[in-house]
Amino acid sequence: MTLYIFFFFLPLTGHLTFVLYLFCFPNSQPLCPPQYAQTVPLPEKSSLSEAPKSEKTPPKPIVLLWFWPENFRFSFSDCKTLMDIDGCSLTDDRSLYSEADAVLIFHKSIKHDSSNLPPSPRPPAQRWIWFHVESPTNTIKIPGLENLFNLTLSYRLDSDILVRYQLFVRETPEEHFEMPRKDKLVCWIVSNNNPYTGTGLRTKYFNELRKYIKITLFGKAYGSFLKYEDYYPTISSCKFYLAFENSIHRDYITEKFNAPLAAGTVPVVLGPPRQNYENFAPSNAFIHVDDFPTPKELAEYLLRLDKDDNLYRSYFQWRRHLEAKPHFVLQNQEFIKPICTACDYIGKHNEYRAPTNIYKWYFS
Ligand SMILES: *[C@@H]1O[C@H](CO)[C@@H](O)[C@H](O)[C@H]1NC(C)=O
């Protein structure tokens, strides 16, 4: 402002102003003329640059978690400590509803009459995120949700907010891969259903396959319940791991596939076609059941690999340049990744998004 006063008065008062200017710089001196310039309207730009520079960063957008999925709670600070995500302010405090920039709504917790959705009126600039990680087979179509959600969060590659386990390019190639010690041939951890009596495709396949090759089972259903800390070591100790999905859908390739890749084991996959798996992992990182006309022939191939170490090792070549990271296995950590990923997204995006017809999209 001092400079501005100077140029403004220079034509009128000439040298005197110049002397005063030098004397008055900084202009707290008692001899200085009154600050006439205060009455002169300043161009907007210069008044902006005069504003005291704030040290504070702008407030982070608020993301309101409307339901705790399956009631598995964690501390929101885990996003920073476990995933290095800090781009939003996460809360489960519903009294912040009208201020929230986005609301994260877990599909499975919505009541069939949708009476437990956030209330009307909905803040006009607020985005709602449809949060769903089950396959379409295991999705209940709750009526009335078709045009409420601006953003989708799921495993599907074409979701707005993508949550899945992916391979990463290594910064430096892995020079030597120490093969974990193996004392079992084929393993399968089944958490829910009884694999002998189920009706799905994977049960049928398993019951055929086990006629020709030994399969070691783990899971609640037969008393060999695995402790969380034994999850990765157990998978590592098997040559092959059955990564059988509970239903067959595009992109529905879950942590069952990530686990053996991260543990140093070869996944044998049953799910969408091989081509879809190859969107997520190199072709020689896994064995697909569709590569064989029958379960018997798959079993024969696995037995052959068991004898041929060079061929078996070729399934680990991808590791030189790529890396699979272990996912969280504790139950109450299951939703950390999707919730933190939503926070990260909202911290980086504020575009308008017209509502999506979620069912038309999800069941397509
Ligand atoms: C979000 O979707 C709603 C309709 O469900 C719409 O009214 C609103 O303008 C959208 N908001 C943004 C910010 O995309």
Side-chain angles (χ1 to χ4, degrees):
M1 190 178 290
T2 309
L3 211 61
Y4 192 84
I5 295 167
F6 170 57
F7 284 115
F8 185 78
F9 284 105
L10 189 60
L12 305 175
T13 52
H15 294 301
L16 177 64
T17 309
F18 182 63
V19 170
L20 273 177
Y21 168 72
L22 290 178
F23 185 69
C24 291
F25 187 77
N27 55 13
S28 55
Q29 293 292 329
L31 274 178
C32 293
Q35 304 266 315
Y36 299 114
Q38 277 174 354
T39 60
V40 178
L42 293 171
E44 209 137 284
K45 201 175 149 219
S46 90
S47 65
L48 266 182
S49 64
E50 289 295 315
K53 280 203 186 77
S54 166
E55 295 293 306
K56 284 187 218 139
T57 46
K60 292 177 199 169
I62 297 175
V63 176
L64 171 59
L65 180 67
W66 194 251
F67 306 110
W68 276 104
E70 318 281 2
N71 216 16
F72 294 149
R73 288 159 193 265
F74 61 91
S75 160
F76 288 132
S77 62
D78 287 351
C79 290
K80 174 91 183 107
T81 52
L82 302 176
M83 294 191 64
D84 197 26
I85 288 174
D86 195 19
C88 85
S89 167
L90 267 169
T91 182
D92 60 356
D93 179 355
R94 290 187 177 186
S95 71
L96 295 174
Y97 172 59
S98 58
E99 291 158 57
D101 296 274
V103 185
L104 188 51
I105 301 173
F106 188 64
H107 179 81
K108 274 171 82 181
S109 302
I110 302 171
K111 285 191 181 153
H112 199 72
D113 62 1
S114 62
S115 59
N116 59 352
L117 281 178
S120 293
R122 174 174 167 177
Q126 187 175 76
R127 285 162 295 165
W128 285 16
I129 306 169
W130 189 61
F131 174 8
H132 191 53
V133 288
E134 301 285 348
S135 78
T137 296
N138 296 305
T139 300
I140 295 169
K141 271 194 196 181
I142 298 158
L145 304 187
E146 287 80 356
N147 290 302
L148 291 180
F149 294 94
N150 310 78
L151 298 164
T152 54
L153 180 156
S154 89
Y155 63 85
R156 274 265 296 257
L157 261 188
D158 55 356
S159 314
D160 299 303
I161 307 172
L162 178 65
V163 183
R164 55 182 309 128
Y165 306 103
Q166 288 168 301
L167 298 182
F168 296 89
V169 176
R170 289 183 194 272
E171 274 173 30
T172 53
E174 184 184 61
E175 288 309 334
H176 176 71
F177 166 53
E178 189 70 52
M179 181 75 68
R181 274 177 49 100
K182 312 269 179 197
D183 57 13
K184 292 179 266 321
L185 193 54
V186 183
C187 302
W188 191 19
I189 302 173
V190 202
S191 43
N192 302 315
N193 334 53
N194 185 326
Y196 296 107
T197 58
T199 50
L201 183 61
R202 66 175 179 177
T203 308
K204 268 209 207 122
Y205 202 95
F206 161 76
N207 279 307
E208 265 309 293
L209 188 65
R210 73 190 179 92
K211 293 179 186 163
Y212 308 103
I213 194 166
K214 182 173 162 48
I215 301 172
T216 310
L217 287 175
F218 298 91
K220 271 183 236 163
Y222 1 76
S224 56
F225 182 70
L226 268 189
K227 287 197 250 109
Y228 295 111
E229 61 269 30
D230 293 337
Y231 181 76
Y232 287 108
T234 301
I235 295 174
S236 295
S237 69
C238 313
K239 280 202 158 172
F240 303 99
Y241 183 75
L242 300 185
F244 284 10
E245 301 299 346
N246 62 26
S247 49
I248 314 288
H249 297 277
R250 170 161 56 100
D251 299 342
Y252 190 62
I253 299 168
T254 65
E255 82 294 337
K256 297 177 181 75
F257 181 57
N258 189 64
L261 294 176
T265 296
V266 178
V268 175
V269 305
L270 180 149
R274 170 171 266 282
Q275 217 187 347
N276 196 192
Y277 278 87
E278 290 182 10
N279 293 139
F280 306 103
S283 59
N284 60 356
F286 61 94
I287 294 167
H288 198 298
V289 298
D290 293 351
D291 298 342
F292 302 90
T294 61
K296 180 170 183 274
E297 276 151 289
L298 168 63
E300 283 164 5
Y301 183 67
L302 299 182
L303 290 167
R304 187 180 138 207
L305 283 180
D306 186 35
K307 300 277 171 300
D308 185 340
D309 205 46
N310 282 338
L311 191 55
Y312 180 68
R313 282 186 171 270
S314 70
Y315 283 91
F316 296 92
Q317 270 166 9
W318 62 273
R319 297 181 54 104
R320 191 169 149 76
H321 297 289
L322 299 173
E323 185 184 9
K325 296 185 177 168
H327 53 268
F328 301 129
V329 289
L330 280 173
Q331 246 182 353
N332 64 352
Q333 292 186 319
E334 190 177 334
F335 298 102
I336 292 181
K337 188 178 160 98
I339 292 170
C340 300
T341 305
C343 171
D344 187 51
Y345 181 94
I346 295 298
K348 291 173 179 163
H349 295 267
N350 61 357
E351 303 91 4
Y352 165 79
R353 294 297 300 267
T356 331
N357 183 330
I358 48 167
Y359 298 137
K360 204 172 149 214
W361 167 70
Y362 205 59
F363 289 88
S364 68

